[in-house]
Amino acid sequence: MAQLFKILAIDGGGIRGIIPATVLMEIERQTGKRVTELFDMVAGTSTGGVLAVGLAMPDQQGRPAYSAADLRELYLGESSAIFPQSFWRKALRPVAEKYSSRGIEGVLKKFFGDSRLQDSLCDLLVTSYEIRLRQPWFFRASRARRDASYDFPLWEVARATSAAPTYFPPARLRNGLWTLIDGGTYANNPALCAYSEARQLHPDAEILLVSLGTGRHAQAIRYRPGLLGWAKPILDVVFDGVSRTTEYQMEQLLPPVRGVQRYYRLQTGLADGEDEMDNADHRNLGRLVERAEILVQEKMAQLGEICWLLQR
């Protein structure tokens, strides 16, 4: 019987990372295990990359440092530091990134400290994009263990993957040697990247892939002519289009075998306002938690199947 290689892939979506974090809380509750005890690989983009880093980070005893519930609290407790609102920030929005890097870097350093990519508790794959080389960039724990020049502090990995254009400045690593932005620009849903990586590492393995979305965009895009009119809408088009295309591709690559699912996609719709990546208003946070808990209840049968397969 072929080895079963289990992959978790988490989409980007800013503050909406609350949704996959809540789904993972239910998986941990049902199994009594942490995510890295269940999955062989965790992949993430942007906010999904932040979650992936937190799930794979070890504590001083070599056990998972954070549960999914701990990471949901990161969003609920630190969102105002990451996405601070001010009059001057809103006034400068058309000519500068929406937020300074100080807030998000402070939160990431607080949560991830000195932990490094090579110390990850499972195969970790986090996406980013190098703008000077104009090429996709993958942070791989497997490579970091082999090559010290590709080992980075986990907080820097999380900063690079979540540097969404127009929201945050690019991340400059190794004193500016590399300039990185959000991996959502080409892989907001990292499932296909994770699948390809697993096929390369374990060509003969059976694949089980669980893909977690952060909610579908709700608002219609209203065309406004000019560069400034397209700045934010085009980013939403890229992120949403990539995610939905990857859903279709994974359905074709991993169809059921003898009635057994090999690919699960857990996603939910959102109402107007809930789909904003940076809406840190406490009422919106509460709505996202509620939306996530409804998703868990609606997908309870699928979650039961997933938990059974993960513990085979």
Side-chain angles (χ1 to χ4, degrees):
M1 183 175 176
Q3 171 197 3
L4 183 63
F5 192 81
K6 304 160 188 174
I7 304 170
L8 171 65
I10 313 173
D11 285 17
I15 198 68
R16 306 194 318 262
I18 288 170
I19 295 171
T22 303
V23 174
L24 292 171
M25 287 169 58
E26 178 62 20
I27 290 175
E28 290 189 340
R29 186 193 70 80
Q30 287 195 30
T31 62
K33 296 180 179 179
R34 297 287 180 87
V35 165
T36 51
E37 298 175 295
L38 298 166
F39 290 93
D40 301 297
M41 175 184 288
V42 179
T45 291
S46 195
T47 199
V50 175
L51 285 170
V53 163
L55 294 165
M57 176 180 159
D59 64 15
Q60 293 183 343
Q61 287 73 46
R63 298 189 295 265
Y66 296 114
S67 66
D70 295 330
L71 294 172
R72 191 174 78 168
E73 284 304 310
L74 182 157
Y75 291 93
L76 296 176
E78 303 288 348
S79 58
S80 60
I82 298 171
F83 302 116
Q85 300 297 313
S86 72
F87 169 80
W88 291 111
R89 179 69 46 196
K90 293 177 181 178
L92 291 171
R93 192 174 298 175
V95 294
E97 285 87 5
K98 202 170 178 181
Y99 304 104
S100 162
S101 61
R102 289 192 299 273
I104 189 170
E105 289 184 2
V107 171
L108 295 176
K109 289 176 182 178
K110 172 183 172 181
F111 274 79
F112 303 141
D114 298 325
S115 296
R116 302 190 69 85
L117 182 58
Q118 66 173 340
D119 301 324
S120 301
L121 294 172
C122 64
D123 281 336
L124 182 63
L125 180 72
V126 177
T127 68
S128 189
Y129 187 86
E130 217 292 339
I131 59 175
R132 292 191 298 181
L133 297 175
R134 298 185 66 157
Q135 67 182 28
W137 181 284
F138 296 98
F139 292 97
R140 297 177 172 95
S142 59
R143 182 169 186 177
R145 295 183 190 110
R146 298 192 309 268
D147 185 348
S149 66
Y150 281 88
D151 186 32
F152 297 87
L154 285 178
W155 79 263
E156 287 190 345
V157 175
R159 170 72 175 93
T161 191
S162 58
T166 75
Y167 288 88
F168 296 108
R172 299 184 182 275
L173 273 58
R174 299 279 162 82
N175 296 317
L177 179 61
W178 292 303
T179 304
L180 298 164
I181 63 171
D182 196 309
T185 51
Y186 68 94
N188 199 53
N189 177 344
L192 186 57
C193 296
Y195 174 80
S196 301
E197 182 79 358
R199 277 282 171 244
Q200 183 178 17
L201 294 173
H202 306 280
D204 299 323
E206 289 285 339
I207 301 291
L208 170 66
L209 196 150
V210 179
S211 175
L212 303 182
T214 58
R216 297 187 192 92
H217 284 279
Q219 299 181 29
I221 294 175
R222 294 174 176 83
Y223 172 69
R224 291 182 297 165
L227 293 176
L228 293 179
W230 268 112
K232 183 179 181 297
I234 199 65
L235 193 65
D236 289 343
V237 169
V238 171
F239 285 5
D240 192 47
V242 165
S243 291
R244 295 199 185 200
T245 301
T246 301
E247 283 185 45
Y248 171 77
Q249 291 167 327
M250 293 311 306
E251 287 170 358
Q252 310 311 307
L253 287 168
L254 285 176
V257 174
R258 295 182 294 277
V260 177
Q261 289 285 114
R262 298 187 295 161
Y263 167 68
Y264 290 87
R265 174 69 170 170
L266 280 75
Q267 178 66 298
T268 188
L270 298 171
D272 284 355
E274 295 173 354
D275 57 356
E276 295 177 11
M277 294 202 304
D278 60 339
N279 186 350
D281 180 86
H282 72 277
R283 290 166 296 186
N284 186 59
L285 299 181
R287 289 194 297 267
L288 289 174
V289 170
E290 182 179 359
R291 185 75 63 180
E293 290 174 346
I294 291 171
L295 173 65
V296 166
Q297 292 304 313
E298 291 177 344
K299 301 295 185 180
M300 193 61 74
Q302 280 192 337
L303 285 166
E305 292 176 13
I306 290 168
C307 292
W308 179 80
L309 289 167
L310 289 174
Q311 296 180 96
R312 279 178 52 186

